[in-house]
Amino acid sequence: MNAAPAPDPLDKSPVRILHLEDSRVDHALVKFALQRSQMPCELTLVDSLDDFRRELADGRHDIVLADYHLPGFTGLDAWDVARACHSELPFVILSGAIGEAAAVEAMHRGVSDYLLKDSMHRLSHVIERALEVSETRRAKARADAELADSRHRLAELAEHLQTSIEQERADIAREIHDDIGGALAAVKLDLAWVGRRVADEEMSAHVNNALEMLQHALGASQRIMMNLRPPILDQGLVAAVQWLASSFERRTGHRVLVRRSSEFIDVPREVQLVAYRTAQEALTNVSKHAQASAVDIDLNDREGVLTLEVKDNGRGMGPEALRKAKSFGLLGLKERAEKVGGWLDVSSSPRGTSVILSVPLRASTNPDNADADKEDGHDQGDFV
């Protein structure tokens, strides 16, 4: 079997080299060395910074090959010019004599490589390596930019989903309040009317049982509505967190202590909702996983920063629990905190877990948000 012919080097696209050199002899030596290595190339010779700057602006070169000692400036000066022009071309210093200190400084400042002129036979290899490294860096930069863009779009999607969820919760709570709650309350009134007029004891017992079930359904409707979108949020963050704590204490029997910097903390609506959901999620995790007997909640707005800390005395969580892939509750809280310019810290030890939300507060709240909140408020007075 005949071997496939080796690819002809001349078939490659020529490497366009911008050569910064004041010696025509050295320029000819560079051209001869590249011809011997069969590297297809196009060389453009310049010997001044003005010409160098103009060629960089043209943007048609692949790599810069620069002497170190030039009339009135050095190769590192040319490197600074390239950086000032935002050029990403690989930059190789080719010098007859460059000291070790100068070579180290050049590499430290980001020059791709350097080569002594008495090693000209290695020039094509140095150029190829510099081009490969440069392409790898550009590919990484593109990948990083795409990743950053993907993360940004994912964060926007998460924010949209959270906004949609909150709106859906508000709509469901309104329907429960207006339709289900109202219907159940009307049925209860009718049954109570029937019960007062029934003489048969057996039928009266059935009516009373139905009234008890209706009362249970009303309580469940109210509880579901409060979990979806508590009307107490309209009374402020402090009142909402205190209600959440007292509900948790009644439901679980765990002691909950709420400390606050004042009876009313004025925060924007979006920050209030993030803080409330953070406290709600933290308490949910305590009831599910912590095996705690007490919870401390600290809420304050000192030094222009809203801080909410929920700390329990449970068994804590290991590092693997904090990093597990499906811990979407904490991930969602972190996304929410970032969207309002804050951050979420979670720390845990065998003595308990602490969830801390910190949000820098703006000088003033948005009155439009407050008006929107009033439209979402639900009166729970209809529940019996």
Side-chain angles (χ1 to χ4, degrees):
M1 180 181 291
N2 295 330
D8 188 350
L10 296 178
D11 292 339
K12 295 182 180 179
S13 299
V15 179
R16 295 164 299 182
I17 302 172
L18 178 57
H19 191 195
L20 182 57
E21 173 64 72
D22 64 320
S23 170
R24 298 298 186 272
V25 174
D26 287 347
H27 176 66
L29 290 174
V30 167
K31 185 181 295 187
F32 178 71
L34 294 176
Q35 288 174 347
R36 288 193 61 181
S37 64
Q38 297 185 332
M39 170 179 280
C41 60
E42 297 175 359
L43 278 86
T44 301
L45 179 65
V46 293
D47 58 6
S48 69
L49 286 179
D50 289 339
D51 291 341
F52 179 65
R53 194 178 287 107
R54 184 184 65 253
E55 290 293 336
L56 284 178
D58 187 62
R60 61 187 182 90
H61 303 286
D62 300 316
I63 189 171
V64 173
L65 192 63
D67 191 8
Y68 186 77
H69 296 288
L70 292 151
F73 63 98
T74 68
L76 287 183
D77 295 326
W79 165 249
D80 291 337
V81 168
R83 293 291 295 273
C85 294
H86 305 289
S87 171
E88 297 181 358
L89 296 180
F91 195 103
V92 176
I93 290 180
L94 179 64
S95 178
I98 181 173
E100 182 178 350
V104 170
E105 181 186 2
M107 299 301 291
H108 180 71
R109 289 170 63 173
V111 169
S112 303
D113 209 341
Y114 72 92
L115 182 69
L116 297 178
K117 289 182 179 179
D118 57 7
S119 300
M120 199 75 76
H121 61 282
R122 297 183 55 245
L123 181 58
S124 62
H125 172 71
V126 170
I127 290 175
E128 288 174 351
R129 184 176 62 186
L131 289 170
E132 289 173 1
V133 171
S134 177
E135 178 56 32
T136 300
R137 288 176 177 171
R138 281 196 293 267
K140 182 179 182 301
R142 289 193 298 269
D144 290 343
E146 291 174 0
L147 180 60
D149 180 64
S150 176
R151 285 176 174 171
H152 177 70
R153 286 187 281 110
L154 183 61
E156 288 183 335
L157 174 61
E159 182 183 18
H160 172 72
L161 290 175
Q162 290 293 348
T163 302
S164 300
I165 289 171
E166 291 296 340
Q167 184 59 51
E168 189 69 20
R169 282 174 169 173
D171 293 342
I172 294 172
R174 183 182 296 110
E175 290 182 11
I176 291 174
H177 178 273
D178 296 343
D179 298 337
I180 298 176
L184 289 176
V187 172
K188 182 181 178 182
L189 290 174
D190 287 341
L191 277 176
W193 184 88
V194 171
R196 289 193 298 269
R197 287 160 177 77
V198 170
D200 183 75
E201 292 184 1
E202 185 177 356
M203 185 176 293
S204 179
H206 280 292
V207 171
N208 289 333
N209 288 337
L211 285 170
E212 290 179 3
M213 292 300 297
L214 274 172
Q215 186 60 48
H216 175 76
L218 282 167
S221 298
Q222 184 178 14
R223 186 175 64 255
I224 293 170
M225 188 200 74
M226 294 289 283
N227 286 332
L228 286 171
R229 203 279 176 189
I232 200 168
L233 278 172
D234 297 327
Q235 300 180 26
L237 179 59
V238 174
V241 171
Q242 287 177 323
W243 173 83
L244 193 63
S246 61
S247 300
F248 178 82
E249 193 172 45
R250 288 194 307 269
R251 188 173 69 253
T252 64
H254 302 335
R255 189 271 298 164
V256 183
L257 177 63
V258 179
R259 300 183 184 88
R260 66 274 187 195
S261 58
S262 62
E263 290 299 324
F264 183 81
I265 297 178
D266 187 18
V267 296
R269 170 60 182 165
E270 63 272 16
V271 176
Q272 180 193 61
L273 191 56
V274 168
Y276 177 82
R277 293 302 182 195
T278 299
Q280 188 179 47
E281 180 69 22
L283 290 175
T284 299
N285 286 337
V286 171
S287 64
K288 287 183 177 180
H289 310 295
Q291 298 181 6
S293 61
V295 180
D296 292 327
I297 300 178
D298 190 292
L299 182 64
N300 71 78
D301 59 346
R302 300 184 184 95
E303 299 180 359
V305 177
L306 175 70
T307 302
L308 169 72
E309 179 179 10
V310 181
K311 184 177 181 181
D312 66 70
N313 66 347
R315 62 179 181 175
M317 295 185 293
E320 66 284 351
L322 293 173
R323 295 193 301 264
K324 68 179 181 179
K326 294 186 178 181
S327 58
F328 296 121
L330 292 177
L331 290 175
L333 293 179
K334 288 182 178 180
E335 289 284 350
R336 286 185 172 211
E338 290 176 2
K339 280 302 176 183
V340 293
W343 56 93
L344 187 79
D345 294 316
V346 181
S347 59
S348 190
S349 73
R351 293 178 294 178
T353 300
S354 175
V355 177
I356 303 176
L357 170 71
S358 302
V359 182
L361 298 175
R362 298 191 294 270
S364 62
T365 60
N366 186 352
D368 295 336
N369 288 336
D371 293 338
D373 296 341
K374 293 179 181 178
E375 297 178 1
D376 283 342
H378 307 298
D379 179 16
Q380 60 192 39
D382 291 347
F383 286 104
V384 180

